[in-house]
Structures are given as C-alpha cells and as structure tokens.
Amino acid sequence: MTAATGSFRQFVIKVHSRCDLRCDHCYVYTHADRSWRGRPVTMSEDTLRLAAARIAEHAVAHRLPRVHVVLHGGEPLLAGRERLRGFARTLRSALRGTAALDLRMQTNGLLLDDAFCAMLAEESILTSVSLDGDERAHDRHRVRADGSGSHRDVVRAIRRLNAPAHRRAFGGLLCTVDVENDPVAVYRALAALDPPALDFLLPHATWDRPPPRPRGATGSTGSTGATGSTEYADWLIAVHDRWAAEGRPIPIRMFESISRLAEGGTSFTEALGTDGTDLLVLETDGAVEQADWLKTAYPGAPETGLHLATHRLEEAAAHPGIRARRTGTAGLSAACRSCRVVEVCGGGLYGHRYRAANGFDNPSVYCADLLKLIDHVRAAERRPTGTQPAPATATGALRNRHTLPWPRFDALAAGLGTAEDVRELAAAQRSLRTTALAAAARTAERRPDASAAGWKALAALPAEVRRLLLADPHLRSWALSHARLERPAGGRPAEAALSATARTRGRLTLPVPLRRGPEGTGIHLPGLGRLLLPEDGPVPGAGGTVTVEAADGRIALAGRVPGVDPLPGGMRWQPLRHLAAEGLRVALDDLDPGRDRYGEDRRAHPRLTEEQAGQWQDRFAEGWRLIREAYPVYAAGIAEGLTTLVPLTPRPGKDISATSGPAFGAIGLALPRTAEDLAMLLIHEFQHTKLWALYDMYDLFDPADTRLLPVPWRPDPRPPPAALQGAYAHLAVADVWRLRAARTRTGPGRDVTGARQARAAAATWRQGVLEVLDALLDTGSLTPYGLRLVRSLREAAAALEP
C-alpha cells in the first residue's frame, strides 16, 4: 500500500516495553539499540488517549477510510487483559465516525488463557502469535529467563485461540527463519495448527552484523550485491515447494507477495516491493518513531525527534529516513537499481541494507537469497499446467493465476474496495471468460452440433477482436452451459463472433439460427443490438446466412445497412441502449436472450418503450448522483465494475433485483420508484457482484459443510456461502441507512422522524449481519481465506455505529 505524501495508515503502539521471554534473536533487546531501558514499562492511559487522538486527527486530515493499528511490545499481553480492552475501546471511540479501525496484536502467546482469548474476540483484536516450528526449532531461541523452553505453552495457547469461541481473533503465526532447522518439519508443525495465515520472517541483520550462515559465505558483493551463500533462499524454497505441492492451503505472505509483484501488483509486506512506507511506531513514552526493526542498525536509528504531545503525525513524513523509503527505486543503491528483479525485491527490508561505512546505500544483506527465491517462485508460477497439482475446483486454475495482495483482499473483505481493487476482480473475471470459452470450444470439437461453425469462427478471430468478446458479462454463463452439456450454445458463438467482427474493420459470413421473441424473429448481436426480420420472413429454427461488415460505423446485414428504420424488406434495427450519468455509462440491455438467469421468462419480455427507457435514464442519473454525493465510499468500485443493467419485470409493492455469479458487471432489476431506492439496490447488488468474484478466486468454505443457517433477510435457512452473500450485501444496506439517517437529520428539509426510522433500520440490519457472521465463525468450515474475510467483515460491522 503506497502512502500519500504526509500520510500514514499503519501505527504500531508499544503498549508494554518488557518481555517474559529472552529470545536471542530479538531486535529490541539483543541488537544495537538499547532505548527500551529508559522508557516506561507500560504505556499510560493518558499517553494512549493522546495516541488515539493523534491517529484520529491524522485520519480526518488525510481522509483515511481505514487505519491499521498493531498493539506491540516487548510483550503486549503483559499490559494486562483489562488494560488492553480499555486501549481497544479508546482507539475505537476516537475513530468512530472518522475511519474504520483494523486492530491487531503480535504476541508470544504465553499469557493467553480463555479469558484473554474471549476479550480479544469481543474487542475484535486480530492476534498473531510467534512460533518457530516444532519444539526443537522453537525452543532453540524462544526461551524464558531460566533457559527453559516455551513451545508447549505457546502451542497450548494457539489451540485455545483457535477454538471456535475465539477463532475470529486468530490472525496467524509468525515464524523467524533459522536455517539450522528442518524447513519442511517447521512448515508441517505450523500448518498442523490450522492457522489462518503464515508469515516467515528473515532474522534481522545488517552488513556489520550479518545473519548466521552455517555454510560460511558472507563475503563481498558482486555487481548485483549478492554473495555466493543462499542458505535462507534454499530453506524458504523447500517450504515453498512443499506448500505448493499441497495446494497452497494457507496464505503465506512472502510467497504471495512475490507472485503479485511479479505480475505488476503490489506487496503487502515492507520487506518486498518498492512501495513507500506508511507505518509509524508510537513508543510507551509517546515518542514517534520509524519502524522498530531499525533498532538492529545502530543506537537511535528509529528516532524522529517527534512526540505525540508536541507534533502532528504527518510531520514524520519530513524525516530523511522516511523520505528515503518513499522514493521507490530512486532511493535504492546503484546495484539494486540495475537488478532485473528490483521491482519485486525492492532492495529488501530497509534495515537489512545498513553498513556503518555508507549507511543504507547497499543491497540487502540477504541479496543473494532474495534473488534466488524470487527466481524460483516466478519459475514455479510459469510451469506448465500439467506439472502443478490438480485444482480442487472448477476455478482452481484461476486461483493459481489471480490472487490479491492482502490490502486489496482486506479492503474487499471489509465490504468496500477502491476502483483498483475492483479492476483486479474484473481482470480475474476476464480470465474466467477466456477459460470458459476454451472449455466450451473443446466440448464443441468433441461433440459437434449446429453451433460448430460459430466455434470455428471464434477460434479464427484475431486476438484483438476476440478481446472484444470478453466485455460481454453474460458470455461465461452460456459458454459454461455448453461446456458442461447443460444447454447447447446454439447461435451464441456465431452471434459473438459476428458482433466482435462488426466492431472492427472486418468481414465475416456465418449461418445464424433465428430467435423468436415477443416482438418477432431476429438476430441478436451482443453488445450491439438486434435485427428484427419482417413478420412474414423466415421461421425460427431455420438457418440464415448473415454477412456482417463494419465500416465507418455502419453495420451491414446481407448487403443491407440497418441504419434507417424501416429498412427495405421490412427489417428493423434495434440498437443496444445505454444509460449515462456523470462518470458512468452502462448498457441498458433489454435484448439479451439469456435473461432467464435472473428468473425471467426471456420469451415473454418485450423491449422497453422509448418512454420507459427515458424513465430509466432519468432515475439512473439521479440515483448515480446520489451515490456519488451521499455514499461515495461505494461509488468508485461501482463505476469501475458495473457495465450492464438488465430490466426485469416489476412486481407491485416490491423491489426486484438480482445478480448472477458468472455475470460479473451485470445487475438485473426492475425500475424502482425513487432514486433513493435505485441507489440502495445498486449498492446492494454490486456487493453481491464483488463477493461472487472473490468466490471465484478463493475457496472460502469447506464444501463438505451442508448445514443451513437462519438469516434475518429470508424466511428459508441458507447454506454458508449464501449466508455470507447476504451478510456482505446487507452490511452495505445498514451503512446506507446509517448515512441516510445522518443526511436526513442534518440536511435540507430536516426530517427527525425519517432520521429516527433510518437509524432503526441501520441498527436492525447491522445486528442481523453480526448474528450471521458469528454463526459462520462458529461453523468451523471456513478456510483460512474465508476466516480472514469473515473476521474482517465482522470487524467492519461491529465498528458501524448508526
């Protein structure tokens, strides 16, 4: 996540500066900096309140929708259960109405009893625990003052935290790499505890104090800055290959960051990538510092000279160390700038570049390791499909190609998402449409039918023409139906090929089956329109040879140009209509023959009249203006992803709307009575659209769980994926009611009664969402990704105060 100039989004609060372990690799107590000796043992409540106020002030000044706070130490649990509960409530209270709070903690876990775990769950403190593998590996370094090991007590605490009653508070495991431990044994020991995520950390080191290397090479750097020794890469590669062979069952931040950065995405760890820092550390005495792992460089390395009592947080952005880390590749050493993997590596963690002779103007002390690891992970991603584990589901291949960096996943998991987040979802959906077309074409080749000529024409289209097909939100539905032999594609392949050709300077002749509808018989060209033939023309089912040619914006059919109505021979051209509002243009598709995917009878649904289309345009423009002005947090994602509205049949006294999982970008709905209702429906349904796309990218549930859960928005109980769909969409509904209450209470035409009713609706929906999310957390059937998503969504719901 790149920080805007002057802004920070992540804050580490040192709530306690001492620890009940004596780990020999700890950068706080065993490296160069000893500033902990002169600081208060525990952060006072006054200092915490000041920290919360400064963070809230910063969020307001920089319009941050969300801030991330980590409670840290030393050992934060030593601050005490009720003190930490008070800290969480103080932070949440300070940010209420300003920004959502993502509250986390890192701990050694020794003090985690049931009462502590219950508090963490109640206060939505997502907690990660340090564990270095099996007992032998862990107790090599993480020992008590008397030298006794801590592994058994830590594992006992992890199991307690991962119990159903507390699982929502479990963030994952943190493992510091020791190359003398067996990497596969370490991975298996960690994975056996079923954590929601794993994070492997290189031990903090500098060129003056290099990491242990049993094979010995720590010599001078070459042109890339790399040494010949790569024990750390070899260790991590062994873990990676075991993890990949098992189907990547647990998110591992380091490996997934490499994959994302290699594809031009962003990292979710400061140790990789060239994004600038957006993190500040707030010490127990109120000092404002840089990342505390800088303590490994030299005494006072993290200091900024700022204090909560006298400085605003954005003033830290002027510090030379922070400025240096916000300049991308320009701030790296010459060796790094010339390296072929610089955009992925980013020079490694800033503190690992330090050498007394020239400061941080060096490659990482792990340069050779990072180069070898990155090359290995990238090569593994490029292996032929046959060498990879078979995907567990139909969308497994997509999951191997498309993942999201944690900041994007977390933003969407919380029910929001920027334009960039939705753009990533759309890119994955284009891959799925491509895959569905290929699968359908293979089916057609094995079992040819009347659509064979259309499939052959699709395969022969130039790549730039075929890309036009992928904009059709309904393409995947009909292609998958054909691939699975559920429903023949009929004229769809030919229509798609003709439509794409018509939008380029090409020429194509194909037999196309005619379609009968309520207005007559015709030919549908998706994305363009429909040609209706004379009433006394060919009967449905009879083939017709259609020539489509595009030139100067005209579409020619059988040598005739349907640009004038009526055309010779009685043909009528019905162009696809569009709705336009500021910053958004979408198709109003009342022609698509696959409208039955929304529960409509496509044969009995005539096209909208010009008057009805005008009503849609007016209502849409007003509803979109309302979304942009009153509910802007949802506007950017909708503008990026919404491409098509499909008019559905109205029902008296009831709003009608729907989405279809394979039809990303399309929403079906009947025209609502008011712009307020339209805004609500668009926001509600686009939430479904986003979650459908996440379902395609990640396995969120154990498919063996067939139980049904009661939900307050339907009379019938729902399976877990459907229950989550409802919770995800109705959290946005609660948020819209909350915002509507504030607008009604204070805006023009102040309506106290209306505001009270809106607040009540917001509270009702929020409570219903919380109940469903808690039920999902209690099922035990959430995968690590599902657990992360549901926890994030629950945190957002808990923070949503009417």
Side-chain angles (χ1 to χ4, degrees):
M1 181 185 298
T2 303
T5 302
S7 71
F8 299 89
R9 294 178 176 84
Q10 302 182 61
F11 304 92
V12 173
I13 298 182
K14 296 284 192 171
V15 296
H16 200 278
S17 66
R18 303 296 190 272
C19 188
D20 47 359
L21 287 181
R22 296 293 182 266
C23 307
D24 58 15
H25 53 30
C26 179
Y27 61 86
V28 175
Y29 304 110
T30 66
H31 284 220
D33 189 88
R34 291 288 191 270
S35 60
W36 61 272
R37 296 179 184 273
R39 291 199 159 104
V41 172
T42 304
M43 178 176 279
S44 70
E45 293 182 7
D46 287 343
T47 301
L48 190 280
R49 280 193 292 270
L50 181 56
R54 285 296 192 192
I55 293 171
E57 173 188 60
H58 190 74
V60 170
H62 296 275
R63 299 180 179 179
L64 303 180
R66 188 178 185 86
V67 296
H68 306 263
V69 176
V70 180
L71 304 179
H72 208 279
E75 172 48 52
L77 297 184
L78 289 172
R81 184 178 71 246
E82 292 310 311
R83 182 184 291 266
L84 288 176
R85 185 196 300 275
F87 282 6
R89 294 181 177 181
T90 297
L91 287 163
R92 192 163 284 115
S93 176
L95 288 164
R96 184 169 292 121
T98 297
L101 173 63
D102 175 4
L103 184 58
R104 305 181 179 225
M105 183 170 66
Q106 293 181 6
T107 174
N108 63 33
L110 290 180
L111 298 179
L112 282 176
D113 57 15
D114 284 332
F116 229 132
C117 290
M119 184 278 291
L120 297 175
E122 290 163 8
E123 300 300 332
S124 298
I125 303 175
L126 194 61
T127 301
S128 297
V129 182
S130 296
L131 183 70
D132 289 346
D134 55 22
E135 185 169 4
R136 180 175 178 275
H138 180 87
D139 287 348
R140 186 191 294 272
H141 301 286
R142 298 187 184 273
V143 297
R144 295 180 171 87
D146 62 4
S148 61
S150 61
H151 179 268
R152 294 183 183 180
D153 289 336
V154 174
V155 168
R156 189 179 300 115
I158 290 168
R159 288 177 174 151
R160 186 176 290 121
L161 183 60
N162 204 21
H166 312 136
R167 190 178 291 121
R168 73 189 68 159
F170 188 21
L173 299 177
L174 308 171
C175 174
T176 299
V177 174
D178 182 337
V179 293
E180 296 205 56
N181 292 327
D182 182 327
V184 174
V186 167
Y187 167 74
R188 284 175 171 165
L190 299 174
L193 293 170
D194 191 26
L198 288 179
D199 203 356
F200 289 99
L201 310 173
L202 293 170
H204 290 303
T206 69
W207 286 104
D208 298 327
R209 183 175 174 165
R213 291 188 183 274
R215 294 207 296 264
T218 57
S220 61
T221 62
S223 60
T224 66
T227 70
S229 183
T230 58
E231 291 99 323
Y232 290 89
D234 298 337
W235 197 97
L236 288 164
I237 286 169
V239 173
H240 173 274
D241 289 352
R242 171 60 58 180
W243 172 71
E246 293 179 359
R248 309 180 182 199
I250 304 166
I252 297 182
R253 186 169 66 162
M254 177 183 287
F255 302 150
E256 295 186 347
S257 286
I258 290 172
S259 300
R260 290 295 308 139
L261 289 162
E263 294 180 358
T266 56
S267 176
F268 42 83
T269 168
E270 249 192 320
L272 294 167
T274 57
D275 281 354
T277 180
D278 67 349
L279 178 145
L280 287 178
V281 175
L282 309 180
E283 284 284 359
T284 56
D285 60 355
V288 179
E289 297 201 338
Q290 302 179 72
D292 56 347
W293 39 253
L294 280 169
K295 295 176 185 294
T296 197
Y298 57 87
E303 293 177 5
T304 65
L306 307 181
H307 194 280
L308 291 170
T310 53
H311 297 86
R312 294 167 64 93
L313 295 178
E314 54 262 35
E315 294 180 59
H319 188 275
I322 290 176
R323 288 211 314 265
R325 289 155 63 205
R326 288 186 164 186
T327 56
T329 55
L332 301 178
S333 68
C336 289
R337 292 196 302 272
S338 63
C339 181
R340 56 186 166 79
V341 299
V342 63
E343 296 298 333
V344 178
C345 172
L349 197 66
Y350 187 70
H352 295 173
R353 307 173 202 168
Y354 182 74
R355 192 194 302 264
N358 63 343
F360 298 93
D361 189 24
N362 304 287
S364 169
V365 72
Y366 292 104
C367 178
D369 298 287
L370 292 171
L371 179 63
K372 185 173 184 178
L373 176 64
I374 291 167
D375 280 345
H376 181 87
V377 172
R378 293 174 70 176
E381 297 289 339
R382 293 193 295 266
R383 285 175 189 158
T385 303
T387 67
Q388 298 288 347
T393 67
T395 54
L398 174 74
R399 295 189 178 105
N400 285 338
R401 292 196 302 273
H402 289 277
T403 58
L404 297 169
W406 285 130
R408 296 210 188 286
F409 182 93
D410 289 343
L412 291 161
L416 299 176
T418 65
E420 290 76 16
D421 300 333
V422 175
R423 195 173 299 137
E424 295 249 15
L425 297 181
Q429 289 295 309
R430 285 193 295 274
S431 289
L432 270 179
R433 290 171 191 167
T434 301
T435 301
L437 273 178
R442 289 193 296 270
T443 298
E445 187 175 352
R446 292 194 306 270
R447 302 182 63 163
D449 58 18
S451 66
W455 289 113
K456 185 176 180 181
L458 279 178
L461 291 177
E464 63 272 15
V465 179
R466 294 189 75 214
R467 277 197 291 271
L468 292 172
L469 303 174
L470 303 182
D472 179 5
H474 299 133
L475 178 151
R476 185 177 159 209
S477 292
W478 59 260
L480 282 177
S481 292
H482 186 88
R484 297 167 179 166
L485 301 176
E486 296 168 355
R487 182 189 297 177
R492 278 288 196 164
E495 292 168 340
L498 290 167
S499 178
T501 303
R503 285 175 274 178
T504 65
R505 293 184 178 275
R507 182 179 179 87
L508 183 63
T509 302
L510 279 177
V512 181
L514 301 176
R515 298 180 182 274
R516 179 180 290 279
E519 297 172 86
T521 301
I523 297 165
H524 176 244
L525 297 179
L528 285 178
R530 177 170 64 190
L531 185 81
L532 286 179
L533 303 182
E535 293 184 4
D536 57 353
V539 297
T545 300
V546 178
T547 301
V548 176
E549 182 176 3
D552 300 324
R554 298 183 304 165
I555 302 167
L557 176 71
R560 299 172 184 254
V561 181
V564 180
D565 188 10
L567 291 172
M571 293 184 293
R572 290 183 294 130
W573 174 246
Q574 295 180 320
L576 181 67
R577 296 187 180 109
H578 288 82
L579 303 175
E582 186 176 354
L584 182 61
R585 184 174 186 268
V586 301
L588 182 64
D589 195 349
D590 54 359
L591 302 174
D592 190 279
R595 200 179 305 178
D596 54 349
R597 67 178 57 85
Y598 301 108
E600 295 278 279
D601 183 351
R602 66 183 185 276
R603 296 167 298 179
H605 201 295
R607 192 177 201 206
L608 298 174
T609 66
E610 291 299 326
E611 180 181 1
Q612 290 171 327
Q615 292 173 347
W616 271 90
Q617 172 59 51
D618 293 343
R619 196 76 38 83
F620 176 76
E622 189 179 353
W624 178 241
R625 178 191 59 78
L626 190 61
I627 291 174
R628 291 190 57 181
E629 295 178 0
Y631 317 116
V633 71
Y634 301 100
I638 293 174
E640 183 64 36
L642 180 63
T643 63
T644 305
L645 294 180
V646 179
L648 302 182
T649 306
R651 297 180 199 170
K654 185 176 182 181
D655 288 328
I656 304 297
S657 63
T659 54
S660 171
F664 180 86
I667 293 175
L669 73 166
L671 184 65
R673 295 166 299 167
T674 68
E676 280 277 13
D677 292 341
L678 179 61
M680 176 75 84
L681 290 174
L682 288 178
I683 291 171
H684 173 268
E685 292 299 342
F686 196 74
Q687 294 297 100
H688 285 306
T689 296
K690 291 187 295 185
L691 190 55
W692 282 122
L694 286 172
Y695 281 176
D696 284 329
M697 297 176 74
Y698 300 96
D699 284 318
L700 302 181
F701 294 91
D702 179 354
D705 187 353
T706 58
R707 80 188 79 187
L708 299 176
L709 303 176
V711 296
W713 39 82
R714 289 180 63 115
D716 53 324
R718 308 292 286 159
L724 178 56
Q725 275 282 357
Y728 192 84
H730 283 93
L731 178 58
V733 170
D735 193 25
V736 170
W737 277 116
R738 177 185 67 86
L739 294 169
R740 187 184 298 184
R743 195 174 80 253
T744 305
R745 184 174 62 249
T746 61
R750 184 168 175 266
D751 180 358
V752 176
T753 301
R756 187 182 304 114
Q757 293 171 342
R759 282 198 306 273
T764 298
W765 287 120
R766 172 181 174 271
Q767 183 59 35
V769 167
L770 286 170
E771 291 172 1
V772 171
L773 294 177
D774 285 342
L776 287 168
L777 288 168
D778 290 341
T779 62
S781 65
L782 290 164
T783 68
Y785 289 107
L787 193 60
R788 187 179 182 110
L789 188 148
V790 172
R791 285 170 170 165
S792 184
L793 195 65
R794 194 195 184 284
E795 180 184 336
L800 192 70
E801 295 292 342

